Amino acid sequence: MVELKTDVLVIGSGAAGMMAALEAAKDGASVILADRSLISRSGATIMAQMTVAVALGSQTPDSAEFHLADTLAAGRDLCDVPLSQLVCEEGPRDILQLDEWKVGWARNDDGSIRQAHAPGHDRPRCVYVDFLSTGPAVAKTLRTRVVRQKEVTRVGDLYITDILLTDGVATGAVGFSLADGRPVAVAAKAVVIATGGLTRLYQRNSASANMGGDGYALALRAGATLTDMEFVQFFPIGHLAPRLVGMDPIMWDPFRYKLGGRLLNAEMREFVNDYGNEEAGTYNVTRDRATFAILSEVKAGRGSPAGGAYLSFQHIPEAELRASFGPVIDKLAANGIDLTQMPVEVAPIAHYHMGGVKVDTAMRTGVPGLFSCGEANGGSNGANRLSGNAITEAFVFGRTAGHSAALFAKAAGNADAPVPAGALELAAAAGPDGGENFAGLIAQLQAVMAADVGPFRTEESLNRALAAIAGLKARLGPVPPGAPGPYNMARLDWFDLRTMLQVAEVVTRCAIARKESRGAHQRDDFPAMDGAFVLHHTVTLAGDDIVLGRTPVEGRTIREVA
């Protein structure tokens, strides 16, 4: 067994995790920043190529209140307003801090930070780094700061299986080293979950391979509450065809709203406004509405050959395309795509999760000593996340969680809780080898979620998914296969499937309970929004049983803000 000790343990090293680690260290805490992969090179941030929403007002007058109004409108009256307000008010501080750290925000001719107009915003509000490099630039900038911070110890290839609890207080975590298989116990005075979302549950997704809902399962098993788990955001224009190698499938969005890329059905007719939208040439419809429009055309038999819609830039002069796309044009040409001569096919792809761990504005989870940040959190985005808010909330929530965790650790003094008996039993267990193909079972789960718990849902499809999940759980078995060892992928797949099945069941049960259509949650059997469901569904565990509850929405509705 490997034993480590720190003041604050941060699990996950995307933007939220690195911000938490930096803030906790700044407050005087020793920090272990742990990740199941390479530090800062896994998760969602490194893959985020587009914009970051923040009310800087650098080129158009703006305010946090205007940003909040757009956030609440996108969230369809389900945003936890204190959390949303925190993002909108604190976001400018962090964007300017990243600017001081030389992240490289694009500039206007006068030297001010350039801001683009993204879907759902009432004005240009989104900063970015040139040519689809925002996420990698953010990750590199934060990684550079982390490496220089001597109070932060970086531990990669560490798979966390469970949070340690002592008398109901989070006192660390246990897991195993992927490099050699040894069990690992990390004693900590405070723990921060920063593990991202759950989009790996779906066949078509824009996430890295480690976004299977780890943080949700860790928090749930530790006694925390989850909220809004039914709301999975599908990015409407994920690349579908022709084959695209070495490029992000969600790259099309900024070019669509910047240049006026047209969404066309099989009849080569624009259709988005047929579904109650008013793009009026601005191409700024929110993601849930665009997803609904595309899939409705496909269901009506007017989809493209690969099962999506056409995205066309053929009406844009070549010089303008080159000026906007820059070197991306040449990468597309290498893939056989000439935007002046052909449309591409796009379709919704699982992209983000609005639900997650229920927290307050200090990022406390309700379990003393356990904090959460970034996409692992639920509530701030309601039923649909506003474009550009993801990295903003990663900064704000990460910094807040790191500060709160450091304060909690300082108050804990020299507490040094022992590792509870049996805590490492699962990580060290050696089960029979050569049985189930757990990677194959993960693929089966992804297919079930895509078919039955995707953008369009019914009572029948959701119950069918629950039955399939129960069948896969029966095949999981009580312990991982084989003996611990270096990069034992069969064991890793077992632990991933354990988490993914639990989280998939939670999402499905919450989707069954919400008998309406709102934002990213669309029920064919309940196609309208219902005022009776202006509430959050919450999830806790009672033993191994999932318990659903209901809580009111905190704060103001969009109508009260506007």
Side-chain angles (χ1 to χ4, degrees), residues 455-487:
F456 288 130
R457 304 160 175 182
T458 65
E459 195 92 10
E460 180 183 2
S461 75
L462 294 168
N463 282 319
R464 187 165 57 239
L466 277 185
I469 290 167
L472 291 170
K473 285 172 69 175
R475 298 172 65 181
L476 179 66
V479 294
Y487 297 105

Side-chain angles (χ1 to χ4, degrees), residues 7-148:
D7 291 333
V8 175
L9 168 63
V10 179
I11 307 170
S13 67
M18 287 191 283
M19 285 292 281
L22 289 169
E23 191 69 15
K26 189 178 83 171
D27 289 338
S30 62
V31 180
I32 287 179
L33 178 61
D35 199 293
R36 57 178 288 173
S37 185
L38 298 174
I39 298 296
S40 90
R41 290 177 170 88
S42 66
T45 301
I46 194 73
M47 301 181 72
Q49 295 190 335
M50 294 180 294
T51 54
V52 184
V54 60
L56 288 181
S58 62
Q59 63 190 50
T60 303
D62 202 358
S63 71
E65 195 75 355
F66 293 147
H67 187 186
L68 178 63
D70 287 346
T71 297
L72 301 189
R76 306 291 187 268
D77 279 344
L78 286 198
C79 292
D80 184 320
V81 177
L83 291 176
S84 306
Q85 195 161 355
L86 183 68
V87 172
C88 297
E89 291 179 351
E90 294 285 311
R93 165 183 171 177
D94 292 315
I95 295 302
L96 295 176
Q97 178 68 83
L98 266 289
D99 195 45
E100 287 182 21
W101 291 346
K102 309 300 182 185
V103 71
W105 302 128
R107 318 302 280 211
N108 295 307
D109 291 340
D110 63 1
S112 60
I113 296 176
R114 186 179 300 164
Q115 297 193 268
H117 198 159
H121 295 270
D122 70 342
R123 67 198 68 204
R125 182 177 290 129
C126 294
V127 303
Y128 60 96
V129 177
D130 214 6
F131 294 124
L132 303 177
S133 299
T134 301
V138 165
K140 180 180 178 181
T141 301
L142 292 176
R143 180 170 67 249
T144 300
R145 304 297 300 188
V146 166
V147 168
R148 294 174 181 172

Side-chain angles (χ1 to χ4, degrees), residues 68-301:
L68 178 63
D70 287 346
T71 297
L72 301 189
R76 306 291 187 268
D77 279 344
L78 286 198
C79 292
D80 184 320
V81 177
L83 291 176
S84 306
Q85 195 161 355
L86 183 68
V87 172
C88 297
E89 291 179 351
E90 294 285 311
R93 165 183 171 177
D94 292 315
I95 295 302
L96 295 176
Q97 178 68 83
L98 266 289
D99 195 45
E100 287 182 21
W101 291 346
K102 309 300 182 185
V103 71
W105 302 128
R107 318 302 280 211
N108 295 307
D109 291 340
D110 63 1
S112 60
I113 296 176
R114 186 179 300 164
Q115 297 193 268
H117 198 159
H121 295 270
D122 70 342
R123 67 198 68 204
R125 182 177 290 129
C126 294
V127 303
Y128 60 96
V129 177
D130 214 6
F131 294 124
L132 303 177
S133 299
T134 301
V138 165
K140 180 180 178 181
T141 301
L142 292 176
R143 180 170 67 249
T144 300
R145 304 297 300 188
V146 166
V147 168
R148 294 174 181 172
Q149 182 57 261
K150 61 181 175 49
E151 288 83 4
V152 178
T153 300
R154 306 179 310 282
V155 182
D157 284 350
L158 176 57
Y159 190 107
I160 299 297
T161 60
D162 288 287
I163 304 296
L164 286 175
L165 297 172
T166 303
D167 298 326
V169 178
T171 53
V174 293
F176 60 92
S177 165
L178 289 169
D180 57 24
R182 287 187 295 172
V184 177
V186 184
K189 299 171 185 175
V191 179
V192 178
I193 291 173
T195 50
L198 53 64
T199 44
R200 189 190 173 198
L201 290 180
Y202 292 85
Q203 276 178 324
R204 269 177 51 81
N205 66 76
S206 64
S208 58
N210 58 4
M211 299 279 282
D214 293 17
Y216 307 139
L218 289 172
L220 195 60
R221 292 195 292 264
T225 299
L226 306 183
T227 186
D228 295 338
M229 293 295 288
E230 62 267 42
F231 294 107
V232 181
Q233 184 177 73
F234 288 79
F235 189 90
I237 54 173
H239 188 84
L240 187 61
R243 188 180 182 204
L244 191 65
V245 178
M247 301 183 75
D248 192 332
I250 66 167
M251 61 164 285
W252 295 113
D253 204 33
F255 301 118
R256 169 168 147 76
Y257 59 71
K258 180 178 181 180
L259 296 172
R262 293 172 176 167
L263 280 174
L264 310 173
N265 61 17
E267 302 165 355
M268 305 308 287
R269 178 179 63 81
E270 289 190 78
F271 60 86
V272 172
N273 287 349
D274 295 348
Y275 297 92
N277 304 304
E278 296 180 3
E279 286 202 312
T282 61
Y283 301 92
N284 284 336
V285 67
T286 55
R287 290 172 176 175
D288 58 334
R289 294 186 183 278
T291 293
F292 180 83
I294 291 170
L295 293 183
S296 294
E297 288 294 293
V298 173
K299 287 173 65 177

